[in-house]
Amino acid sequence: AQSVTQPDIHITVSEGASLELRCNYSYGATPYLFWYVQSPGQGLQLLLKYFSGDTLVQGIKGFEAEFKRSQSSFNLRKPSVHWSDAAEYFCAVGAKYPTDSWGKLQFGAGTQVVVTP
Amino acid sequence: GAGVSQSPSNKVTEKGKDVELRCDPISGHTALYWYRQSLGQGLEFLIYFQGNSAPDKSGLPSDRFSAERTGGSVSTLTIQRTQQEDSAVYLCASSSLPLAGGPKEQFFGPGTRLTVL
């Protein structure tokens, strides 16, 4: 069964500093990996996704993530955070189409990011 | 046109009552997904639809939960005999089918906040 672990429940970062959010997954085959962001009172928005090819993927809002198969990780990074990046971030893993469970995203518990001035 | 819409946005009900939650996906999206977000359990997958069929119902917590989709469009999640532990935000998402080239983004609606008294 697939699973996702986000080790950090809460991270505080200064505006302008770099940010790295950790994600470890467990999945038997090549996973589909995602990062979503949820701002207060907002829905979930996709930041980026990985399914094959280049292990460094670029997303929206200046975010990037690196897939490391040997470490079963898909960490999210941003070189310089803005106050508007304060939100909750979710890593998710999905199965390949057309397996029976392709539509099921397994989410991590989320990491709350607080940005200080 | 518009994004995923859900109704009602808030629902307060008494324990033991039945509730119906509605999801209108983005026009043309063949796939539709239901998730639940609660403080104790995080983001949980409930069920997804490919057209009107549901290949994976494994996430439904109990037989009190059911979902249907008609006409390949609107979906209804029904919870019978609600319990206090059903209190959560129920999220709906939709996407096109990931027929090739990797996963498609799941676009999330704003959710229905269910409170069971």
Side-chain angles (χ1 to χ4, degrees):
Chain A
Q2 59 217 48
S3 66
V4 178
T5 301
Q6 292 181 248
D8 305 305
I9 296 173
H10 187 274
I11 283 181
T12 299
V13 60
S14 299
E15 191 169 14
S18 63
L19 174 68
E20 181 167 13
L21 303 182
R22 296 183 291 164
C23 172
N24 292 97
Y25 68 90
S26 173
Y27 188 66
T30 301
Y32 288 173
L33 294 161
F34 308 80
W35 275 100
Y36 279 84
V37 61
Q38 187 176 37
S39 300
Q42 304 284 321
L44 284 157
Q45 181 182 25
L46 180 70
L47 287 175
L48 45 78
K49 62 186 178 184
Y50 170 82
F51 64 98
S52 69
D54 194 347
T55 56
L56 185 64
V57 293
Q58 303 296 320
I60 62 170
K61 304 185 180 187
F63 285 92
E64 66 178 27
E66 186 171 13
F67 171 63
K68 292 185 177 180
R69 185 186 300 276
S70 62
Q71 299 177 19
S72 298
S73 69
F74 188 56
N75 294 348
L76 182 72
R77 298 193 292 255
K78 185 169 184 177
S80 176
V81 299
H82 186 261
W83 64 266
S84 60
D85 293 323
E88 190 157 21
Y89 292 79
F90 295 92
C91 182
V93 63
K96 187 175 180 180
Y97 183 88
T99 59
D100 282 347
S101 57
W102 67 263
K104 174 181 179 179
L105 282 186
Q106 183 77 42
F107 284 88
T111 298
Q112 186 71 46
V113 173
V114 173
V115 180
T116 60
Chain B
V4 177
S5 61
Q6 294 186 245
S7 59
S9 56
N10 278 283
K11 176 71 176 179
V12 180
T13 190
E14 294 179 349
K15 178 181 172 181
K17 300 281 190 183
D18 298 351
V19 296
E20 283 190 354
L21 311 180
R22 177 188 168 104
C23 173
D24 280 272
I26 293 171
S27 177
H29 277 185
T30 307
L32 185 147
Y33 316 81
W34 284 99
Y35 296 87
R36 178 169 74 171
Q37 187 172 26
S38 59
L39 281 177
Q41 302 297 322
L43 266 162
E44 301 173 90
F45 165 81
L46 297 178
I47 188 171
Y48 79 92
F49 289 89
Q50 180 172 335
N52 292 332
S53 65
D56 189 346
K57 303 179 182 180
S58 64
L60 294 177
S62 73
D63 58 9
R64 295 186 295 104
F65 288 72
S66 63
E68 66 174 10
R69 189 179 187 198
T70 55
S73 181
V74 171
S75 176
T76 303
L77 178 69
T78 301
I79 309 173
Q80 295 179 310
R81 305 181 302 281
T82 52
Q83 304 293 312
Q84 288 182 331
E85 61 262 29
D86 299 333
S87 296
V89 176
Y90 289 81
L91 296 169
C92 177
S94 71
S95 78
S96 52
L97 284 183
L99 296 176
K104 300 299 184 186
E105 177 178 355
Q106 293 186 19
F107 292 85
F108 282 80
T112 293
R113 182 175 296 278
L114 175 67
T115 302
V116 182
L117 302 176

